[in-house]
């Protein structure tokens, strides 16, 4: 038997560790904003940045030089003390180094023992199967018990290898700590031997071409999304497990139009948010992963016309039934979360 029995699934994995959560906290996570833990110029800006974003993530992994890993770890602990994250309404996460690296044990130990009371989520890179989650799960439970934590720290996995994609359903169901999974397009492209050096987004060579014209005129063609299949599979795995799916990084920070389109594709497919690697991507994620005011107003008209979610209603010549009621509920509930944090959108949704 490869999984725990239902009765044991929610038992703490260490004596004195907090009880696992049975339901995820309801939080707004439109953008996960990455801050390099070792950067002494950026780190002091964290308290002000925390007012602008939904999640601040202290990054210890990729983009941190090997000789700066200790400084990044110490910086993450410092960031935990800069804000009362548990009262701020902004999430505080950290991406640790991968499980087979020489830094993983120190990363997790320091974060849990020195910052665990403020840390919401540990992001685990290059997860390839449930065994990675199981190992980290028990290790963190032991540290939580040692630190005397009363609230469990959640896990967020990054889908960065072909094996991880093949096992994404098992990963999503591996532990009650699972908060969500993000697409990691750069490492995944390398693992799959895809012929691209881009970090997310489309590629000019990946296109569809219309059938030939009888007169030999030019054939219309359109660039396609390399990541459509993976995001759709990721969303299905996450929603089956009751956790959240996220688009990851869009690497070209100068191409804001393409970034917005990639985020929008992910939002429409069911993703809750995306990573922001540069401040200029924050506003894009906030705009894209917040429902459009007109959509919200129409969704609430559906909910009003069908208060108990049953029957049929006609609105603007379109038939609404229990299926469209469920769609409307998704949009309306998200709008409530957004409105609680963003006064401007709250006014737009109410207007």
């Amino acid at each position: 038997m490869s999984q725990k029995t239902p009765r044991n699934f929610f038992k703490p994995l260490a004596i004195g560790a907090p009880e696992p959560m049975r339901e995820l906290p309801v939080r707004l996570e439109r953008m996960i904003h990455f801050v390099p833990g070792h950067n002494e110029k950026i780190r002091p800006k964290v308290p002000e940045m925390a007012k602008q974003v939904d999640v601040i993530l202290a990054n210890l992994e990729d983009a941190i030089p090997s000789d700066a890993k200790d400084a990044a770890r110490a910086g993450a602990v410092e960031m935990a003390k800069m804000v009362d994250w548990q009262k701020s309404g902004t999430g505080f996460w950290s991406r640790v180094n991968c499980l087979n690296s020489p830094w993983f044990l120190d990363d997790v130990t320091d974060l849990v023992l020195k910052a665990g009371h403020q840390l919401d989520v540990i992001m685990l890179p290059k997860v390839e199967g449930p065994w990675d989650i199981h190992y980290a799960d028990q290790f963190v439970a032991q540290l939580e018990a040692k630190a005397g934590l009363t609230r469990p720290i959640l896990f967020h996995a990054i889908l960065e290898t072909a094996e991880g994609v093949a096992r994404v359903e098992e990963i999503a169901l591996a532990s009650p700590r699972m908060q969500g999974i993000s697409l990691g397009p750069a490492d995944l492209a390398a693992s799959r031997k895809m012929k691209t050096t881009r970090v997310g987004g489309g590629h000019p060579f990946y296109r569809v071409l219309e059938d030939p014209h009888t007169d030999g005129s030019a054939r219309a063609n359109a660039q396609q999304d390399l990541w459509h299949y993976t995001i759709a599979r990721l969303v299905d795995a996450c929603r089956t497990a009751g956790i959240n799916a996220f688009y990851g990084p869009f690497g070209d920070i100068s191409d804001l139009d393409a970034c917005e389109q990639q985020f929008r594709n992910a939002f429409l497919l069911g993703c809750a948010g995306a990573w922001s690697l540069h401040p200029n991507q924050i506003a894009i994620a906030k705009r894209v992963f917040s429902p459009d005011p007109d959509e919200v107003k129409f969704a609430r008209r559906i909910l009003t016309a069908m208060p108990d979610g049953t029957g049929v209603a006609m609105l603007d010549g379109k038939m609404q039934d229990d299926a469209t009621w469920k769609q409307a509920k998704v949009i309306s509930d998200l709008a409530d979360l957004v409105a609680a944090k963003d006064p401007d959108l709250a006014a737009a949704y109410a207007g």
Side-chain angles (χ1 to χ4, degrees):
M1 189 172 185
S2 61
Q3 290 188 334
K4 296 177 187 176
T5 62
R7 291 186 185 276
N8 288 325
F9 190 74
F10 288 102
K11 285 186 177 180
L13 293 181
I15 297 171
E19 290 278 341
M21 293 181 181
R22 292 180 178 266
E23 296 289 341
L24 288 181
V26 178
R27 291 174 176 160
L28 197 60
E29 294 159 338
R30 295 167 296 182
M31 78 294 296
I32 305 165
H33 190 61
F34 275 55
V35 178
H38 68 299
N39 192 313
E40 296 184 1
K41 292 182 178 179
I42 297 178
R43 200 167 60 243
K45 301 177 183 178
V46 163
E48 190 59 34
M49 284 191 288
K51 300 174 185 177
Q52 310 300 321
V53 301
D54 298 337
V55 175
I56 288 282
L57 179 142
N59 185 29
L60 311 184
E61 196 222 7
D62 286 353
I64 309 298
S66 58
D67 61 359
K69 295 293 188 181
D70 292 345
R73 188 183 309 123
V77 173
E78 180 185 331
M79 288 164 59
K81 300 173 182 177
M82 290 178 171
V83 176
D84 187 344
W85 298 98
Q86 296 308 306
K87 291 184 179 179
S88 70
T90 299
F92 181 58
W93 300 15
S94 183
R95 178 172 73 168
V96 298
N97 287 281
C98 57
L99 275 70
N100 63 355
S101 75
W103 305 289
F104 174 79
L105 291 177
D106 288 339
D107 286 350
V108 176
T109 300
D110 279 8
L111 284 168
V112 178
L113 295 184
K114 298 177 182 179
H117 62 295
Q118 293 287 3
L119 186 66
D120 293 303
V121 175
I122 293 174
M123 183 179 280
L124 298 170
K126 301 174 179 64
V127 173
E128 297 202 300
W131 51 83
D132 290 334
I133 302 299
H134 295 162
Y135 167 71
D137 199 357
Q138 187 127 30
F139 180 44
V140 169
Q142 292 170 332
L143 292 171
E144 287 172 336
K146 186 174 182 178
L149 300 185
T150 58
R151 173 185 55 86
I153 297 167
L154 300 179
F155 287 164
H156 184 104
I158 315 177
L159 209 56
E160 298 184 270
T161 68
E163 185 169 7
V165 174
R167 299 181 183 275
V168 65
E169 293 85 3
E170 298 173 64
I171 293 168
L173 292 165
S175 166
R177 285 191 196 275
M178 290 300 296
Q179 175 272 345
I181 304 177
S182 283
L183 171 69
D187 280 292
L188 180 54
S191 173
R192 285 174 165 169
K193 297 191 181 300
M194 294 168 65
K195 311 308 185 286
T196 176
T197 57
R198 298 182 176 207
V199 179
H203 194 286
F205 295 169
Y206 194 70
R207 314 179 75 85
V208 291
L209 189 67
E210 72 170 340
D211 290 345
H213 298 167
T214 56
D215 62 1
S217 59
R219 298 157 67 179
N221 64 91
Q223 186 171 313
Q224 301 294 290
D225 186 356
L226 291 166
W227 305 106
H228 181 88
Y229 156 78
T230 309
I231 294 172
R233 183 167 182 185
L234 168 63
V235 168
D236 284 345
C238 287
R239 295 317 309 154
T240 297
I243 64 177
N244 297 315
F246 292 77
Y247 186 79
F250 188 86
D252 188 348
I253 60 175
S254 65
D255 192 346
L256 301 185
D257 290 339
C259 175
E260 177 161 351
Q261 187 59 58
Q262 186 69 76
F263 284 6
R264 195 169 299 283
N265 292 351
F267 175 66
L268 290 170
L269 282 173
C271 288
W275 301 4
S276 51
L277 305 182
H278 187 276
N280 66 14
Q281 295 180 337
I282 293 172
I284 295 173
K286 184 177 290 189
R287 179 168 63 251
V288 168
F289 290 98
S290 300
D292 180 81
D294 289 338
E295 286 279 345
V296 173
K297 292 169 188 175
F298 187 71
R300 288 175 173 166
R301 286 179 62 199
I302 295 173
L303 299 180
T304 299
M306 304 169 59
D308 61 357
T310 63
V312 174
M314 293 296 295
L315 293 177
D316 301 340
K318 299 175 183 177
M319 188 187 77
Q320 311 299 328
D321 59 12
D322 60 333
T324 55
W325 186 93
K326 293 172 187 175
Q327 292 176 297
K329 189 75 165 58
V330 168
I331 293 172
S332 181
D333 288 351
L334 176 57
D336 288 341
L337 276 178
V338 171
K341 185 154 188 173
D342 192 324
D344 290 338
L345 280 171
Y349 293 156

